[in-house]
Amino acid sequence: MDAFQQLLRTFFDWKAMGAIVPNLLTVGLPNTLILAVSSGILGTVLGLALAMMGISRHPVPRWISRVYTDVFRGLPAILTILLIGIGFGPVVRQLTGSTNPYPLGIAALTLMAAAYIGEIFRSGIQSVDKGQLEASRALGFGYGASMQLVVVPQGIRRVLPALVNQFIALIKDSSLVYLLGLLSSQREIFRIGNDAASNSGNLSPLVAAGLLYLVLTVPLTHFVNFIDHRLRTGRQEKKQPDDAAATIGTEHLL
Amino acid sequence: MSEFSSGSLTGKNLHLSFGSNHVLRGIDLHVEKGTTASVIGPSGSGKSTLLRVMNRLIEPDQGDILLDGKSVLKDNPDQLRQRIGMVFQQFNLFPHKTVVENVALALRKLRKLPKDQARAQALEQLDLVGLRHKADARPANLSGGQQQRVAIARALAMQPEVMFFDEATSALDPELVKGVLSLMADLAKAGMTMVVVTHEMNFCRNVSDTVTFMDVGRVVETGSPEKLFSDPGTDRLRSFLSDVL
């Protein structure tokens, strides 16, 4: 019973948890969301560009996209964040006079997310039937317009679940920017939980931080399942029998 | 159905190879303004490829293409394709757009018509193929025959001078074939210039003005349907006809 009590106090010390809730909600939550949403949006834009380069008819953009993707998908997130966040600090300071590591954290998250999102987009775009591009070109649209109006919108629709999964990963990976030494007002959910845990020698604040992550990510995973289901089954009406021949008077010819 | 401002189309000595595979070996095909040319032949004979070369979806290695007597090989291929409508075996409607949006897309983006005007014109085209009441449905909710008629309306909306049909009824259930064929016959009667790659021998015989028989990338025989069907001049056409009729 003693052991159980001890575990309970280690993980679920309600007082310690309650004490950091205001900080988690007013500082941690906004920072996590800013990091995840901004790198998610930037990563989507960069990822789409990488996907278009990846399916280009010219070898140079294809090759650039390939190397980029292999590098940023192949490195551990923690390594990329340290290399970008710390390595580029002096350059940013020289250029802007700012020592704020926050934008570099967003940049590192963006670069990693773009590698994954680019691959997601590429597979989605390549899964669109070749006849779609052909039909669009036959109408008189150029390659770029056909991609933009016909192929890419269909490809993106198919990979929405994978994109949301990627966004969930970003929410979790955003915790790694704590390594860059942020100001106290810049701390995200994990860092606030971690600081409180090391100050009090009790893990409950980290558990509280974990619960807040789950509040963000669990609804998103269910949202993925929902759109996945919707995309697979659609809201289709039943197929209807063909109308009578559109015109009359020529049947005898057939 | 109204008259069309159609034109004549000529392919001269068209050659195309994919690597060592010589798909077209010097094809000549002439379609007089307002007439229908059927192209028949066994699969792999290059019929569908010929259509794609004639609207430059695939550039020929050699030869010339004339629309209304003028060579179009120097023109912008995108602009050439606005003048030649094409209907595919698999319909290839855009599934993420409604029926009327499928028809209106090129009007809006290529003809630069305002949205309501493009929609109005698209609805007129749908009227022509008897599917105005499906304007706001998604293609996936239509039968194959309906989808193909929408695809025809989509191509007609650009007021093409020539229409290509690439085995337009091959993917349809038998009971849906007739509606599409009769629509094609109506277009032919209304004076559209048409090139029809088909396995429908009755359509070929009764609707087309000329029939061209292709085999392994060459034109084997060409002439009136009466001549080709009742008095084939080569053994290859004779054996092909005995296989399909």
Side-chain angles (χ1 to χ4, degrees):
Chain A
M1 208 54 203
D2 237 17
F4 178 71
Q5 287 291 339
Q6 196 187 342
L7 283 176
L8 205 60
R9 228 179 309 122
T10 305
F11 291 113
F12 295 100
D13 180 336
W14 301 114
K15 245 178 82 185
M17 287 169 93
I20 65 150
V21 164
N23 223 352
L24 276 178
L25 290 180
T26 57
V27 180
L29 181 61
N31 277 316
T32 291
L33 288 179
I34 289 170
L35 289 166
V37 171
S38 53
S39 57
I41 291 170
L42 294 171
T44 301
V45 174
L46 183 55
L48 195 54
L50 284 166
M52 297 312 293
M53 287 165 69
I55 58 171
S56 166
R57 288 166 294 185
H58 307 287
V60 174
R62 267 207 317 272
W63 188 80
I64 293 173
S65 163
R66 190 72 261 150
V67 170
Y68 177 97
T69 306
D70 284 349
V71 169
F72 282 97
R73 215 171 42 161
L75 292 174
I78 195 166
L79 198 143
T80 304
I81 286 182
L82 279 176
L83 288 183
I84 301 281
I86 295 173
F88 283 84
V91 180
V92 172
R93 192 166 56 231
Q94 274 174 15
L95 289 174
T96 66
S98 159
T99 57
N100 187 353
Y102 201 80
L104 280 172
I106 291 175
L109 290 171
T110 298
L111 293 174
M112 288 186 294
Y116 288 96
I117 292 172
E119 284 295 276
I120 291 170
F121 278 144
R122 188 179 59 76
S123 69
I125 291 167
Q126 285 184 327
S127 76
V128 175
D129 183 70
K130 296 268 178 294
Q132 292 290 309
L133 178 61
E134 197 172 44
S136 174
R137 302 290 323 251
L139 277 171
F141 287 108
Y143 177 82
S146 297
M147 279 293 167
Q148 186 201 334
L149 294 169
V150 174
V151 179
V152 172
Q154 291 181 54
I156 289 180
R157 235 162 269 225
R158 282 181 207 187
V159 297
L160 275 180
L163 273 185
V164 179
N165 275 332
Q166 202 49 50
F167 190 66
I168 292 170
L170 257 181
I171 290 176
K172 297 184 289 178
D173 283 349
S174 69
S175 60
L176 290 167
V177 299
Y178 88 94
L179 290 161
L180 300 181
L182 300 171
L183 300 175
S184 75
S185 64
Q186 293 174 327
R187 292 178 304 169
E188 36 62 63
I189 295 172
F190 167 76
R191 181 64 189 269
I192 286 173
N194 194 36
D195 285 356
S198 30
N199 287 342
S200 64
N202 182 295
L203 288 180
S204 301
L206 266 182
V207 173
L211 290 174
L212 186 50
Y213 276 114
L214 290 179
V215 167
L216 294 176
T217 54
V218 169
L220 279 174
T221 55
H222 286 273
F223 178 59
V224 170
N225 294 342
F226 169 74
I227 53 177
D228 198 29
H229 182 73
R230 173 61 74 78
L231 283 172
R232 269 187 292 114
T233 59
R235 279 170 300 175
Q236 296 194 359
E237 309 153 29
K238 285 222 173 76
K239 286 207 178 188
Q240 285 165 12
D242 204 50
D243 292 350
T247 46
I248 47 166
T250 46
E251 261 104 78
H252 62 283
L253 294 173
L254 315 169
Chain B
M1 208 168 276
S2 60
E3 292 288 317
F4 299 104
S5 56
S6 51
S8 70
L9 180 73
T10 309
K12 272 188 182 166
N13 190 30
L14 292 168
H15 281 267
L16 179 75
S17 298
F18 295 122
S20 62
N21 185 9
H22 208 161
V23 188
L24 301 181
R25 307 171 179 226
I27 299 281
D28 291 302
L29 183 74
H30 177 71
V31 194
E32 208 52 64
K33 173 180 154 70
T35 68
T36 295
S38 289
V39 181
I40 59 174
S43 45
S45 57
K47 310 180 298 284
S48 296
T49 309
L50 175 64
L51 289 184
R52 282 161 178 74
V53 165
M54 299 252 283
N55 71 0
R56 294 176 66 196
L57 277 174
I58 307 171
E59 297 287 352
D61 296 335
Q62 195 188 318
D64 202 0
I65 301 157
L66 308 154
L67 190 51
D68 256 341
K70 281 194 281 290
S71 174
V72 291
L73 278 184
K74 295 257 154 52
D75 297 0
N76 177 335
D78 296 334
Q79 252 142 39
L80 169 67
R81 287 191 285 266
Q82 292 185 29
R83 301 167 63 190
I84 301 178
M86 185 158 183
V87 176
F88 300 87
Q89 183 176 0
Q90 300 295 342
F91 331 132
N92 295 343
L93 292 179
F94 307 136
H96 60 305
K97 300 201 173 283
T98 64
V99 163
V100 68
E101 285 168 355
N102 264 273
V103 182
L105 185 67
L107 293 173
R108 278 180 55 206
K109 302 289 180 181
L110 294 173
R111 291 271 186 272
K112 309 283 183 203
L113 294 185
K115 203 171 177 178
D116 47 340
Q117 211 176 320
R119 184 183 162 90
Q121 283 195 21
L123 287 173
E124 272 175 44
Q125 293 298 333
L126 287 173
D127 233 355
L128 219 62
V129 301
L131 286 171
R132 192 193 180 106
H133 62 291
K134 293 289 181 191
D136 296 309
R138 295 269 169 183
N141 297 326
L142 267 54
S143 74
Q146 291 173 331
Q147 289 192 49
Q148 194 59 299
R149 274 146 56 193
V150 172
I152 292 172
R154 178 174 69 176
L156 286 177
M158 290 296 282
Q159 295 171 309
E161 294 153 59
V162 181
M163 282 285 284
F164 287 177
F165 292 86
D166 184 19
E167 302 195 16
T169 57
S170 297
L172 295 177
D173 293 338
E175 75 273 18
L176 306 181
V177 168
K178 209 174 200 184
V180 172
L181 285 181
S182 69
L183 178 57
M184 288 163 64
D186 281 350
L187 286 177
K189 232 169 50 172
M192 176 59 79
T193 307
M194 314 210 304
V195 185
V196 182
V197 168
T198 186
H199 294 297
E200 295 288 338
M201 292 302 143
N202 284 333
F203 179 91
C204 219
R205 199 195 298 239
N206 295 322
V207 179
S208 52
D209 300 284
T210 65
V211 178
T212 296
F213 173 60
M214 280 179 70
D215 196 15
V216 286
R218 284 201 179 86
V219 171
V220 178
E221 253 184 86
T222 188
S224 70
E226 296 79 22
K227 166 82 177 69
L228 260 72
F229 280 99
S230 53
D231 181 22
T234 57
D235 288 341
R236 264 144 106 196
L237 177 55
R238 213 166 294 133
S239 78
F240 174 75
L241 290 176
S242 72
D243 285 346
V244 295
L245 288 177

